[in-house]
Amino acid sequence: MNLQRTLLAGAVLSALSTLAQAQSADTTLQQVVVTASPFRTAEGDQILTPAKILSGDELRDKVGSSLGETLSQELGVSASAFGAGASRPIIRGLEGPRVKMLENGMSVSDVSGLSNDHAVASDGALARQIEILRGPAALLYGSGAIGGLVNVVNERIPTVLEPKPTGQVEARYGTVDRGRSLSGSVDAAFGQIAVHVDGNVRHADDYKIPGNRVLDDASSASGRLPHSDTRENAAGFGGSYIGNWGHIGASVSTLNNLYGIPSNEGSKIDQKQTRYDIDSMVKAPFKNFETFKFKLGYTNYEHAELGGDNQPLVLFKNHALESRWELTHKRLAGWHGTLGLQTDNTRFSALSAEGGPDTLPVTHSTSTAGFLVEETDVGPVRVSAGARLESVKREPVTGLDRSFHLASYSVGGLWPFKPGYGVGATVSVAQRAPAAEELYSGGPHDATVTFDVGNPDFRKETSRNIELSAQKTTGLVRWKANVYENHAKDFVFGHITGKLVDEDGNPGGELRERIFEQAPATIRGAEAELTYNQTGQGWSGRLFGDTSRGKLDNGGNLPLQPASRLGLSAGYRNGGWRAGASIVHAQAQDRLASFETTPTPSYKQLNANLSYTQQLGQYNLTWFLLAKNLLNEDIRLSTSVLKDVSPLPGRNFVFGVRAQF
């Protein structure tokens, strides 16, 4: 915990130094609303829903080939890595089903939480902002969001009438993988009808790696990493009727993604998704209520895991229907909040395409949840609280039905002891029903080279978390620091036994046996961030650090834990010019689970950006250059099961142009 103490000490020292300043240069910075927050607050408004919002130029600079890559340098957020095609956010050492993925406030309903080789079925290239939330607000979206949630906002269903057509088009080319991408969106209004159209196409070849493919093996291949190519296209269309009373609208979108898995076997994943959404909001529906919202979403998702001959080995399918009702009430006895109901109905399977054992049988899951999130002021202290009751049922075609009754709640307070400064604490209990794959898996998963075995007798997972926070949210210099401890009873994890089996589970094959197990576990961590003039003209800067440690209470470490990191960035803005550079140092990760054998070396990742925006008639034209991994370091992530054979891309220059109107 030495690094944790160092991070907190740094934050305290920086706070003391800024207290000595008069802060007469305090500026009013632009605030971006968190759409997934029940109170639609701005980033930093309250400590009980700690949020990071990526939008505007910052988002465009960080957009990568996957959602995990896009968010990988945010405070407390790391990423898994399965080549360029699949990378999912990891929040405070928690991943998979413990981090909820949303698109416009509705579940993405893919199967990325099942395994790191499955890409998130939401396109960051079309996002207008990406939100990271933790705390009571997360209870609106699922008891399983113990780590938090990520909400990708693309506004496919418009909520405002644009006075004239607006939109943007962006083209990019990357040198490391010969990546070509073209994306764009248009919004327009016809009377009280608003419409939205967007699309994205991306093609990338196998990417170059800095050294040898296999860690510490100078005789292994170099050059380009085989099976790291991607082919993706996405499109969406939405429309809504907007009046003084509110809006009602619908959208349809498609996603097709074919990407390689850079394992020794070299498989591919062919991913397809079609989703339909309805979104409505009525202002002042009843006395003492501000808004009523209703959302309905249906997702038809599937992907095939292809072998070396491009023939399907396993077919994953997920059909999901989700509904949400939310009522936000006016202040009642000092409390302001949102109450609602959420239902989910899914049919999920992972069936063999070759007649062998199924990875996961067809499983019908249903859930019904009621939730309430409230806030009030008790003297100078802002108090937030949330509760969620949920009933979950899993019904596989093989029998062994399971039902779980979940109760989750969170409460905390923020004390602004001085204008712009605050300290707070949050306590939460979150319960999660084991996912279908954790209960019923019983077959090969070729992309991860494992034979997965679930346990239908698993109990619900209960997580108890406490967090202490401090922050400064005004002035040119701002900072925040958090320490937390998360104790999970009956924590579910995959244990690779070391036994090799064949496609039928018999000894003597090439698949590693992975058995899902339950045990008590504790995750402790700390994070701190210091920023200067993040959105104004002139110089800006950022210093951050984060660390987490996940351990089993009965001895040993949790698998695939992120490395501790320190990061520094500086930027400059002047008129249409904008430039910046950042460096992140990740420490070596040698805190291994009992079945992990290879420590992950430390690395330094140096990135830079340069852009110029000019006005051409009614268009804002931005020319930009992004440089990633300028030091050409051999970067391997401790959170990747392929770290020994699949480094991240080497030095990459991304050239692009963006037109906005």
Side-chain angles (χ1 to χ4, degrees), residues 52-75 77-80 84 86-89 101 122-127 129-132 150 152 172 202 542 565 605 607 628:
K52 171 63 182 180
I53 310 170
L54 277 179
S55 62
D57 291 333
E58 184 183 16
L59 173 59
R60 303 319 307 166
D61 288 346
K62 293 181 178 180
V63 163
S65 61
S66 62
L67 194 58
E69 180 188 351
T70 300
L71 302 179
S72 62
Q73 294 191 7
E74 300 309 317
L75 188 65
V77 182
S78 51
S80 61
S87 177
R88 199 177 195 270
M101 307 304 302
S122 186
D123 195 340
L126 298 174
Q129 69 183 49
I130 301 177
E131 306 163 352
I132 305 168
V150 174
V152 178
R172 295 185 176 213
R202 180 178 183 271
R542 175 183 181 238
R565 305 179 302 175
Q605 185 172 10
N607 297 338
K628 302 184 179 183

Side-chain angles (χ1 to χ4, degrees), residues 478-513:
R478 305 184 180 198
W479 55 263
K480 56 186 173 183
N482 309 309
V483 292
Y484 56 89
E485 178 174 294
N486 186 352
H487 178 71
K489 180 182 178 182
D490 297 319
F491 188 89
V492 180
F493 65 99
H495 177 207
I496 296 178
T497 64
K499 180 180 178 181
L500 295 177
V501 299
D502 61 17
E503 296 281 336
D504 296 315
N506 300 318
E510 297 181 350
L511 301 177
R512 300 167 298 167
E513 183 181 59

Side-chain angles (χ1 to χ4, degrees), residues 164-465:
K164 62 179 182 179
T166 63
Q168 71 172 25
V169 178
E170 180 180 287
R172 295 185 176 213
Y173 177 81
T175 59
V176 76
D177 56 3
R178 295 189 285 263
R180 296 86 68 196
S181 67
L182 179 66
S183 63
S185 65
V186 177
D187 289 89
F190 305 91
Q192 290 185 280
I193 304 295
V195 296
H196 170 96
V197 179
D198 62 49
N200 176 52
V201 177
R202 180 178 183 271
H203 287 180
D205 300 335
D206 293 339
Y207 62 72
K208 294 180 181 178
I209 55 177
N212 297 96
R213 176 180 183 178
V214 180
L215 181 64
D216 297 328
D217 184 358
S219 64
S220 62
S222 59
R224 294 188 180 273
L225 183 66
H227 308 292
S228 59
D229 57 320
T230 62
R231 299 288 186 274
E232 177 187 342
N233 64 78
F237 172 78
S240 57
Y241 181 82
I242 301 173
N244 294 331
W245 52 270
H247 72 269
I248 182 170
S251 69
V252 59
S253 61
T254 63
L255 173 70
N256 298 284
N257 191 8
L258 176 65
Y259 59 93
I261 300 296
S263 61
N264 291 326
E265 289 70 23
S267 58
K268 288 183 177 293
I269 288 184
D270 187 6
Q271 181 188 62
K272 301 179 186 300
Q273 176 178 276
T274 302
R275 62 179 292 150
Y276 307 88
D277 288 280
I278 294 174
D279 186 349
S280 63
M281 187 270 287
V282 179
K283 300 176 184 177
F286 314 110
K287 183 179 179 181
N288 296 322
F289 285 92
E290 296 176 352
T291 60
F292 168 73
K293 297 179 182 179
F294 171 73
K295 293 186 177 185
L296 183 68
Y298 175 74
T299 302
N300 183 351
Y301 173 93
E302 65 178 55
H303 83 244
E305 296 195 350
L306 310 178
D309 57 358
N310 286 329
Q311 295 301 310
L313 302 174
V314 183
L315 300 175
F316 288 79
K317 293 185 179 182
N318 190 43
H319 296 174
L321 178 66
E322 177 186 7
S323 68
R324 295 183 58 83
W325 292 262
E326 294 182 14
L327 270 171
T328 300
H329 66 79
K330 298 179 180 179
R331 289 203 173 270
L332 178 63
W335 290 88
H336 177 226
T338 297
L339 68 159
L341 180 70
Q342 178 181 355
T343 66
D344 285 285
N345 191 315
T346 64
R347 187 175 179 86
F348 175 42
S349 63
L351 305 180
S352 172
E354 300 181 311
D358 293 328
T359 302
L360 182 75
V362 177
T363 302
H364 181 212
S365 296
T366 57
S367 71
T368 303
F371 53 82
L372 176 68
V373 176
E374 298 282 337
E375 69 172 7
T376 190
D377 294 323
V378 180
V381 178
R382 170 65 54 87
V383 176
S384 292
R388 182 182 178 97
L389 298 177
E390 188 167 358
S391 177
V392 178
K393 190 170 185 179
R394 312 235 187 263
E395 301 174 281
V397 295
T398 55
L400 302 174
D401 296 357
R402 292 297 308 277
S403 295
F404 302 91
H405 300 287
L406 312 175
S408 302
Y409 59 87
S410 181
V411 63
L414 170 66
W415 174 40
F417 60 89
K418 181 180 178 179
Y421 293 83
V423 294
T426 305
V427 177
S428 61
V429 175
Q431 293 187 320
R432 182 181 74 90
E437 61 272 12
E438 296 168 338
L439 295 170
Y440 305 121
S441 289
H445 193 174
D446 292 273
T448 57
V449 200
T450 58
F451 190 96
D452 297 342
V453 181
N455 186 340
D457 296 324
F458 276 163
R459 299 173 294 276
K460 61 186 176 184
E461 182 179 299
T462 301
S463 172
R464 293 177 172 84
N465 181 78

Side-chain angles (χ1 to χ4, degrees), residues 497-569:
T497 64
K499 180 180 178 181
L500 295 177
V501 299
D502 61 17
E503 296 281 336
D504 296 315
N506 300 318
E510 297 181 350
L511 301 177
R512 300 167 298 167
E513 183 181 59
R514 179 170 63 178
I515 298 177
F516 287 103
E517 297 182 356
Q518 274 190 320
T522 300
I523 297 176
R524 297 184 177 93
E527 56 199 28
E529 182 179 58
L530 172 68
T531 63
Y532 171 76
N533 189 28
Q534 281 295 88
T535 61
Q537 292 285 304
W539 289 100
S540 62
R542 175 183 181 238
L543 173 66
F544 85 94
D546 53 30
T547 182
S548 65
R549 178 77 181 272
K551 300 182 67 176
L552 295 169
D553 292 358
N554 56 8
N557 298 301
L558 289 175
L560 302 177
Q561 288 295 289
S564 300
R565 305 179 302 175
L566 288 171
L568 175 67
S569 64

